[in-house]
Amino acid sequence: MSSAPWNWETGERLLSLNDPAEWDAAFARGERSLGTAAIGLAFNCSLEEASPRIVRATQLPDTAQRGFAFTAAGTAARLNGALTPELYAALRAEGPGRRSLAADAIDDTLTFVPFRSLPTWLKCWSVVSTVLNKLDAWRLSLAYAVIDAWKAARRYRDRVFDVRPHD
């Protein structure tokens, strides 16, 4: 283990990583926890310094570390109110949608990056996801209304016909 204040094996203290060159060296060595370290870069470095490393981390073979890389992209969007074209491309490559590793990062981007600054595909996804969410809300409202009506009809039936629960 090196004398650095972070531990690549366990991921301990990697959220404080502030040296892109150290991330590059760890990547070259094939270290673990590169996605976790990408979050540290998002917190502690400029977007321009962190972006290429976050993009590389989104392509790691380890699914968990790729997930952390997308968390780093969302963190970058939160902190900077913008993303680089390469980060937008990484989000698009992973794809939007509820089952995507990039779903939370895309949601963070839609929340913290001004709409006018978004690429066209993300503006379109924003509209589509808003419509899907509204349709889902209406579906749930209808389902709850049907359940409530059914319960009311059963209560009415029980009162009218003096139906009592069996002991």
Side-chain angles (χ1 to χ4, degrees), residues 49-161:
E49 290 176 311
S51 176
R53 283 102 185 156
I54 296 170
V55 170
R56 275 190 267 162
T58 65
Q59 299 164 358
L60 292 168
D62 182 299
T63 303
Q65 289 304 310
R66 278 196 351 260
F68 290 139
F70 286 109
T71 299
T75 299
R78 284 174 177 257
L79 295 175
N80 298 290
L83 290 178
T84 63
E86 296 79 17
L87 279 171
Y88 284 123
L91 294 178
R92 187 173 191 185
E94 185 64 26
R98 294 180 180 157
R99 295 184 183 182
S100 168
L101 284 176
D104 290 335
I106 289 172
D107 288 346
D108 286 346
T109 302
L110 292 174
T111 301
F112 295 100
V113 176
F115 188 81
R116 68 185 175 282
S117 300
L118 296 172
T120 303
W121 73 269
L122 201 47
K123 288 177 182 177
C124 292
W125 174 248
S126 174
V127 172
V128 167
S129 67
T130 299
V131 169
L132 291 174
N133 288 341
K134 182 54 82 175
L135 289 173
D136 205 29
W138 287 345
R139 180 189 61 79
L140 287 172
S141 294
L142 178 62
Y144 292 141
V146 168
I147 291 168
D148 290 345
W150 181 251
K151 287 179 182 177
R154 287 180 54 200
R155 282 193 304 270
Y156 176 76
R157 178 201 67 189
D158 293 349
R159 266 198 329 266
V160 169
F161 296 107

Side-chain angles (χ1 to χ4, degrees), residues 13-36:
R13 294 183 300 275
L14 288 176
L15 294 179
S16 65
L17 183 67
N18 60 0
D19 184 0
E22 175 62 26
W23 193 96
D24 292 341
F27 183 82
R29 292 189 308 268
E31 294 284 1
R32 299 174 43 157
S33 304
L34 289 163
T36 305

